[in-house]
Amino acid sequence: MDQKIYGKGRALRGELTVPGDKSISHRALMLSALTEGETRIRGFLYGADCISTIRCLREMGVSIESREGESGPELLLRGVGLRGLRAPERILDCGNSGTTMRLLSGLLSAQRFDSVLSGDESIRRRPMGRVIRPLTEMGADIFSERGDGRAPLHIHGRALRGISYESPLASAQVKSAILLAGLYAEGESRVIEPGLSRDHSERMLRSLGVPIESRTLFDGRTEIRLRPVERLASFPNPLFIPGDISSAAYFLTAALIVPGSELLLRNVGTNPTRDGILEVYRSMGGDISSERNRIIAGEEVSDLRVRHSKLHGTTISGALIPRLIDELPVIAAAAAAAEGETLIKDAADLRQKESDRISAVAEGLRALGVSVEEREDGMRILGQGEKLSLREAEIDSRGDHRIAMSFAVLGLLEEPGSFLRIHGSDCIRISYPDFFSDFEKIC
Ligand code: S3P
């Protein structure tokens, strides 16, 4: 499917509640499946990725129903307990979802049955060695069918032992795979990350009574230690999932770059391991205020008010990268509309996402006439501020939801009457099925 975005030349106004957080939705499913009671989940993201997790858990005997709760739609999940998952009869299809595949590989390595994880063409190209290596150290029997460190993955479940793993990457998926396996392992599991990646797993495990500690080491690295448990406590009922800052990012950016705009984005998760985009936009001169700051189900939540601002270029690197990794494509779009140079460094892992996001962003920006230099670990963008004039262009989403949505935002800066065409725009269903209708509402 293609989508045409017209440069409308008018301001964005109004309010929006973005859909639930994708990372938290996956974890809410997997972890409540391992508890012994019922969990009602509110604010769940009905995106294709989270539906992949539902499909896999159902295949292992977990009952998950969508229903109308007293105050809106909710998911009702009946936990089977830590040792209650059933051997799947079919290949577990993770679709496009890296989080499903990597987190489940940790969980499944410790079960008393065998399983196979596979998914779509994109996920079968993505590196799984990053979870295979530490899990194998824990004693897991997990191998890549084609021997290339990619899916399909065959897992022969067995008893594991805790390890101390120094991860070369600040990756929440790797960390969470080890922590999930560690729930069943003998002894303590310890993960050291070069920087702190999103910590939703740690927060949720702690709330389920798992002994887990995190601390920053003297050299800036983060250490997480977890001890196994016999059973998990339950989540608060209902379990609320905040709005996804990675989805809010498109509207934050749109309001910042389109003159005259002002938007209120309600109920956005602002966990400090995820809010790097706010820090970067504010440092670029962006007018974003956080209102009604609160904690919901152990996660920071705010309403974000954003107004059009004159942005200037910046440098984004180091420990900031894991705090905004999924927002880098849309930040690159903002950088094209900012005055001066923006440099993105230390983000080589962007090439391993649903697409090679460094190449996809650079190719799209170039097609629009933006001056961009692609680098191995990022890019350099020469923004033109208010003088920016975009060409009409065709953008290939490469089947990557974040590429499609980032360029949709930039399309708003086409001259009135001109448009940008996004090929394969239906991939937005992965994380934000209503993106284009929400976009219409406020644009
Ligand atoms: C995620 C972690 C990040 C992120 C992905 C979701 C998660 O990946 O890019 O979209 O839910 O744990 P990495 O952990 O591989 O950096």
Side-chain angles (χ1 to χ4, degrees), residues 39-53:
T39 307
R40 287 181 287 126
I41 306 175
R42 298 249 177 96
F44 178 78
L45 169 66
Y46 290 92
D49 268 9
C50 300
I51 292 172
S52 293
T53 294

mmCIF file with all atom_site columns, all heavy atoms in Angstrom, residues 39-53:
data_model
loop_
_atom_site.group_PDB
_atom_site.id
_atom_site.type_symbol
_atom_site.label_atom_id
_atom_site.label_alt_id
_atom_site.label_comp_id
_atom_site.label_asym_id
_atom_site.label_entity_id
_atom_site.label_seq_id
_atom_site.pdbx_PDB_ins_code
_atom_site.Cartn_x
_atom_site.Cartn_y
_atom_site.Cartn_z
_atom_site.occupancy
_atom_site.B_iso_or_equiv
_atom_site.pdbx_formal_charge
_atom_site.auth_seq_id
_atom_site.auth_comp_id
_atom_site.auth_asym_id
_atom_site.auth_atom_id
_atom_site.pdbx_PDB_model_num
ATOM 1   N N   . THR A 1 39 ? -4.738  -11.389 34.969 1.00 0.00 ? 39 THR A N   1
ATOM 2   C CA  . THR A 1 39 ? -4.330  -9.989  34.871 1.00 0.00 ? 39 THR A CA  1
ATOM 3   C C   . THR A 1 39 ? -5.197  -9.316  33.821 1.00 0.00 ? 39 THR A C   1
ATOM 4   O O   . THR A 1 39 ? -5.385  -9.847  32.724 1.00 0.00 ? 39 THR A O   1
ATOM 5   C CB  . THR A 1 39 ? -2.842  -9.867  34.467 1.00 0.00 ? 39 THR A CB  1
ATOM 6   O OG1 . THR A 1 39 ? -2.054  -10.649 35.355 1.00 0.00 ? 39 THR A OG1 1
ATOM 7   C CG2 . THR A 1 39 ? -2.363  -8.417  34.531 1.00 0.00 ? 39 THR A CG2 1
ATOM 8   N N   . ARG A 1 40 ? -5.739  -8.158  34.216 1.00 0.00 ? 40 ARG A N   1
ATOM 9   C CA  . ARG A 1 40 ? -6.479  -7.346  33.241 1.00 0.00 ? 40 ARG A CA  1
ATOM 10  C C   . ARG A 1 40 ? -5.529  -6.242  32.798 1.00 0.00 ? 40 ARG A C   1
ATOM 11  O O   . ARG A 1 40 ? -5.015  -5.505  33.625 1.00 0.00 ? 40 ARG A O   1
ATOM 12  C CB  . ARG A 1 40 ? -7.735  -6.756  33.888 1.00 0.00 ? 40 ARG A CB  1
ATOM 13  C CG  . ARG A 1 40 ? -8.811  -7.834  34.117 1.00 0.00 ? 40 ARG A CG  1
ATOM 14  C CD  . ARG A 1 40 ? -10.048 -7.253  34.736 1.00 0.00 ? 40 ARG A CD  1
ATOM 15  N NE  . ARG A 1 40 ? -9.823  -6.917  36.125 1.00 0.00 ? 40 ARG A NE  1
ATOM 16  C CZ  . ARG A 1 40 ? -10.056 -5.724  36.671 1.00 0.00 ? 40 ARG A CZ  1
ATOM 17  N NH1 . ARG A 1 40 ? -10.539 -4.735  35.958 1.00 0.00 ? 40 ARG A NH1 1
ATOM 18  N NH2 . ARG A 1 40 ? -9.822  -5.516  37.949 1.00 0.00 ? 40 ARG A NH2 1
ATOM 19  N N   . ILE A 1 41 ? -5.279  -6.178  31.510 1.00 0.00 ? 41 ILE A N   1
ATOM 20  C CA  . ILE A 1 41 ? -4.301  -5.209  30.997 1.00 0.00 ? 41 ILE A CA  1
ATOM 21  C C   . ILE A 1 41 ? -5.047  -4.089  30.260 1.00 0.00 ? 41 ILE A C   1
ATOM 22  O O   . ILE A 1 41 ? -5.799  -4.352  29.334 1.00 0.00 ? 41 ILE A O   1
ATOM 23  C CB  . ILE A 1 41 ? -3.295  -5.901  30.046 1.00 0.00 ? 41 ILE A CB  1
ATOM 24  C CG1 . ILE A 1 41 ? -2.638  -7.105  30.750 1.00 0.00 ? 41 ILE A CG1 1
ATOM 25  C CG2 . ILE A 1 41 ? -2.240  -4.910  29.579 1.00 0.00 ? 41 ILE A CG2 1
ATOM 26  C CD1 . ILE A 1 41 ? -1.723  -7.937  29.858 1.00 0.00 ? 41 ILE A CD1 1
ATOM 27  N N   . ARG A 1 42 ? -4.807  -2.857  30.699 1.00 0.00 ? 42 ARG A N   1
ATOM 28  C CA  . ARG A 1 42 ? -5.434  -1.689  30.047 1.00 0.00 ? 42 ARG A CA  1
ATOM 29  C C   . ARG A 1 42 ? -4.377  -0.896  29.303 1.00 0.00 ? 42 ARG A C   1
ATOM 30  O O   . ARG A 1 42 ? -3.257  -0.770  29.781 1.00 0.00 ? 42 ARG A O   1
ATOM 31  C CB  . ARG A 1 42 ? -6.022  -0.743  31.099 1.00 0.00 ? 42 ARG A CB  1
ATOM 32  C CG  . ARG A 1 42 ? -7.099  -1.342  31.918 1.00 0.00 ? 42 ARG A CG  1
ATOM 33  C CD  . ARG A 1 42 ? -8.442  -0.714  31.585 1.00 0.00 ? 42 ARG A CD  1
ATOM 34  N NE  . ARG A 1 42 ? -9.458  -1.389  32.364 1.00 0.00 ? 42 ARG A NE  1
ATOM 35  C CZ  . ARG A 1 42 ? -9.923  -0.931  33.529 1.00 0.00 ? 42 ARG A CZ  1
ATOM 36  N NH1 . ARG A 1 42 ? -9.483  0.222   34.000 1.00 0.00 ? 42 ARG A NH1 1
ATOM 37  N NH2 . ARG A 1 42 ? -10.827 -1.614  34.185 1.00 0.00 ? 42 ARG A NH2 1
ATOM 38  N N   . GLY A 1 43 ? -4.784  -0.322  28.184 1.00 0.00 ? 43 GLY A N   1
ATOM 39  C CA  . GLY A 1 43 ? -3.851  0.524   27.422 1.00 0.00 ? 43 GLY A CA  1
ATOM 40  C C   . GLY A 1 43 ? -2.916  -0.319  26.574 1.00 0.00 ? 43 GLY A C   1
ATOM 41  O O   . GLY A 1 43 ? -1.917  0.186   26.060 1.00 0.00 ? 43 GLY A O   1
ATOM 42  N N   . PHE A 1 44 ? -3.258  -1.594  26.407 1.00 0.00 ? 44 PHE A N   1
ATOM 43  C CA  . PHE A 1 44 ? -2.424  -2.512  25.627 1.00 0.00 ? 44 PHE A CA  1
ATOM 44  C C   . PHE A 1 44 ? -2.318  -2.040  24.173 1.00 0.00 ? 44 PHE A C   1
ATOM 45  O O   . PHE A 1 44 ? -3.283  -1.534  23.604 1.00 0.00 ? 44 PHE A O   1
ATOM 46  C CB  . PHE A 1 44 ? -3.068  -3.904  25.688 1.00 0.00 ? 44 PHE A CB  1
ATOM 47  C CG  . PHE A 1 44 ? -2.336  -4.937  24.893 1.00 0.00 ? 44 PHE A CG  1
ATOM 48  C CD1 . PHE A 1 44 ? -1.183  -5.514  25.390 1.00 0.00 ? 44 PHE A CD1 1
ATOM 49  C CD2 . PHE A 1 44 ? -2.789  -5.312  23.629 1.00 0.00 ? 44 PHE A CD2 1
ATOM 50  C CE1 . PHE A 1 44 ? -0.493  -6.457  24.650 1.00 0.00 ? 44 PHE A CE1 1
ATOM 51  C CE2 . PHE A 1 44 ? -2.101  -6.261  22.881 1.00 0.00 ? 44 PHE A CE2 1
ATOM 52  C CZ  . PHE A 1 44 ? -0.962  -6.833  23.394 1.00 0.00 ? 44 PHE A CZ  1
ATOM 53  N N   . LEU A 1 45 ? -1.168  -2.220  23.572 1.00 0.00 ? 45 LEU A N   1
ATOM 54  C CA  . LEU A 1 45 ? -0.986  -1.859  22.164 1.00 0.00 ? 45 LEU A CA  1
ATOM 55  C C   . LEU A 1 45 ? -1.413  -3.013  21.255 1.00 0.00 ? 45 LEU A C   1
ATOM 56  O O   . LEU A 1 45 ? -0.758  -4.057  21.227 1.00 0.00 ? 45 LEU A O   1
ATOM 57  C CB  . LEU A 1 45 ? 0.494   -1.529  21.895 1.00 0.00 ? 45 LEU A CB  1
ATOM 58  C CG  . LEU A 1 45 ? 0.837   -1.390  20.407 1.00 0.00 ? 45 LEU A CG  1
ATOM 59  C CD1 . LEU A 1 45 ? 0.139   -0.183  19.797 1.00 0.00 ? 45 LEU A CD1 1
ATOM 60  C CD2 . LEU A 1 45 ? 2.333   -1.316  20.195 1.00 0.00 ? 45 LEU A CD2 1
ATOM 61  N N   . TYR A 1 46 ? -2.496  -2.769  20.501 1.00 0.00 ? 46 TYR A N   1
ATOM 62  C CA  . TYR A 1 46 ? -2.932  -3.794  19.537 1.00 0.00 ? 46 TYR A CA  1
ATOM 63  C C   . TYR A 1 46 ? -2.190  -3.618  18.215 1.00 0.00 ? 46 TYR A C   1
ATOM 64  O O   . TYR A 1 46 ? -2.805  -3.433  17.172 1.00 0.00 ? 46 TYR A O   1
ATOM 65  C CB  . TYR A 1 46 ? -4.448  -3.717  19.316 1.00 0.00 ? 46 TYR A CB  1
ATOM 66  C CG  . TYR A 1 46 ? -5.232  -4.181  20.515 1.00 0.00 ? 46 TYR A CG  1
ATOM 67  C CD1 . TYR A 1 46 ? -5.646  -3.270  21.481 1.00 0.00 ? 46 TYR A CD1 1
ATOM 68  C CD2 . TYR A 1 46 ? -5.542  -5.519  20.681 1.00 0.00 ? 46 TYR A CD2 1
ATOM 69  C CE1 . TYR A 1 46 ? -6.348  -3.686  22.600 1.00 0.00 ? 46 TYR A CE1 1
ATOM 70  C CE2 . TYR A 1 46 ? -6.242  -5.953  21.800 1.00 0.00 ? 46 TYR A CE2 1
ATOM 71  C CZ  . TYR A 1 46 ? -6.644  -5.027  22.745 1.00 0.00 ? 46 TYR A CZ  1
ATOM 72  O OH  . TYR A 1 46 ? -7.323  -5.451  23.840 1.00 0.00 ? 46 TYR A OH  1
ATOM 73  N N   . GLY A 1 47 ? -0.889  -3.629  18.277 1.00 0.00 ? 47 GLY A N   1
ATOM 74  C CA  . GLY A 1 47 ? -0.077  -3.542  17.057 1.00 0.00 ? 47 GLY A CA  1
ATOM 75  C C   . GLY A 1 47 ? 0.325   -4.958  16.655 1.00 0.00 ? 47 GLY A C   1
ATOM 76  O O   . GLY A 1 47 ? 0.297   -5.882  17.477 1.00 0.00 ? 47 GLY A O   1
ATOM 77  N N   . ALA A 1 48 ? 0.726   -5.108  15.390 1.00 0.00 ? 48 ALA A N   1
ATOM 78  C CA  . ALA A 1 48 ? 1.024   -6.455  14.885 1.00 0.00 ? 48 ALA A CA  1
ATOM 79  C C   . ALA A 1 48 ? 2.129   -7.139  15.709 1.00 0.00 ? 48 ALA A C   1
ATOM 80  O O   . ALA A 1 48 ? 2.089   -8.353  15.911 1.00 0.00 ? 48 ALA A O   1
ATOM 81  C CB  . ALA A 1 48 ? 1.423   -6.378  13.418 1.00 0.00 ? 48 ALA A CB  1
ATOM 82  N N   . ASP A 1 49 ? 3.108   -6.373  16.200 1.00 0.00 ? 49 ASP A N   1
ATOM 83  C CA  . ASP A 1 49 ? 4.188   -6.996  16.973 1.00 0.00 ? 49 ASP A CA  1
ATOM 84  C C   . ASP A 1 49 ? 3.667   -7.626  18.261 1.00 0.00 ? 49 ASP A C   1
ATOM 85  O O   . ASP A 1 49 ? 4.036   -8.748  18.616 1.00 0.00 ? 49 ASP A O   1
ATOM 86  C CB  . ASP A 1 49 ? 5.260   -5.950  17.334 1.00 0.00 ? 49 ASP A CB  1
ATOM 87  C CG  . ASP A 1 49 ? 6.371   -5.900  16.299 1.00 0.00 ? 49 ASP A CG  1
ATOM 88  O OD1 . ASP A 1 49 ? 6.222   -6.536  15.231 1.00 0.00 ? 49 ASP A OD1 1
ATOM 89  O OD2 . ASP A 1 49 ? 7.390   -5.231  16.563 1.00 0.00 ? 49 ASP A OD2 1
ATOM 90  N N   . CYS A 1 50 ? 2.820   -6.894  18.971 1.00 0.00 ? 50 CYS A N   1
ATOM 91  C CA  . CYS A 1 50 ? 2.314   -7.431  20.248 1.00 0.00 ? 50 CYS A CA  1
ATOM 92  C C   . CYS A 1 50 ? 1.339   -8.580  19.974 1.00 0.00 ? 50 CYS A C   1
ATOM 93  O O   . CYS A 1 50 ? 1.255   -9.523  20.767 1.00 0.00 ? 50 CYS A O   1
ATOM 94  C CB  . CYS A 1 50 ? 1.661   -6.323  21.065 1.00 0.00 ? 50 CYS A CB  1
ATOM 95  S SG  . CYS A 1 50 ? 2.834   -5.022  21.422 1.00 0.00 ? 50 CYS A SG  1
ATOM 96  N N   . ILE A 1 51 ? 0.659   -8.511  18.841 1.00 0.00 ? 51 ILE A N   1
ATOM 97  C CA  . ILE A 1 51 ? -0.235  -9.616  18.484 1.00 0.00 ? 51 ILE A CA  1
ATOM 98  C C   . ILE A 1 51 ? 0.593   -10.872 18.196 1.00 0.00 ? 51 ILE A C   1
ATOM 99  O O   . ILE A 1 51 ? 0.172   -11.991 18.487 1.00 0.00 ? 51 ILE A O   1
ATOM 100 C CB  . ILE A 1 51 ? -1.166  -9.197  17.317 1.00 0.00 ? 51 ILE A CB  1
ATOM 101 C CG1 . ILE A 1 51 ? -2.122  -8.113  17.871 1.00 0.00 ? 51 ILE A CG1 1
ATOM 102 C CG2 . ILE A 1 51 ? -1.950  -10.384 16.748 1.00 0.00 ? 51 ILE A CG2 1
ATOM 103 C CD1 . ILE A 1 51 ? -2.982  -7.423  16.867 1.00 0.00 ? 51 ILE A CD1 1
ATOM 104 N N   . SER A 1 52 ? 1.796   -10.699 17.697 1.00 0.00 ? 52 SER A N   1
ATOM 105 C CA  . SER A 1 52 ? 2.685   -11.858 17.513 1.00 0.00 ? 52 SER A CA  1
ATOM 106 C C   . SER A 1 52 ? 2.990   -12.506 18.865 1.00 0.00 ? 52 SER A C   1
ATOM 107 O O   . SER A 1 52 ? 3.027   -13.736 18.987 1.00 0.00 ? 52 SER A O   1
ATOM 108 C CB  . SER A 1 52 ? 4.004   -11.446 16.852 1.00 0.00 ? 52 SER A CB  1
ATOM 109 O OG  . SER A 1 52 ? 3.772   -11.032 15.532 1.00 0.00 ? 52 SER A OG  1
ATOM 110 N N   . THR A 1 53 ? 3.224   -11.680 19.882 1.00 0.00 ? 53 THR A N   1
ATOM 111 C CA  . THR A 1 53 ? 3.483   -12.253 21.214 1.00 0.00 ? 53 THR A CA  1
ATOM 112 C C   . THR A 1 53 ? 2.248   -12.978 21.731 1.00 0.00 ? 53 THR A C   1
ATOM 113 O O   . THR A 1 53 ? 2.341   -14.072 22.294 1.00 0.00 ? 53 THR A O   1
ATOM 114 C CB  . THR A 1 53 ? 3.946   -11.144 22.193 1.00 0.00 ? 53 THR A CB  1
ATOM 115 O OG1 . THR A 1 53 ? 5.212   -10.670 21.742 1.00 0.00 ? 53 THR A OG1 1
ATOM 116 C CG2 . THR A 1 53 ? 4.105   -11.652 23.612 1.00 0.00 ? 53 THR A CG2 1
#
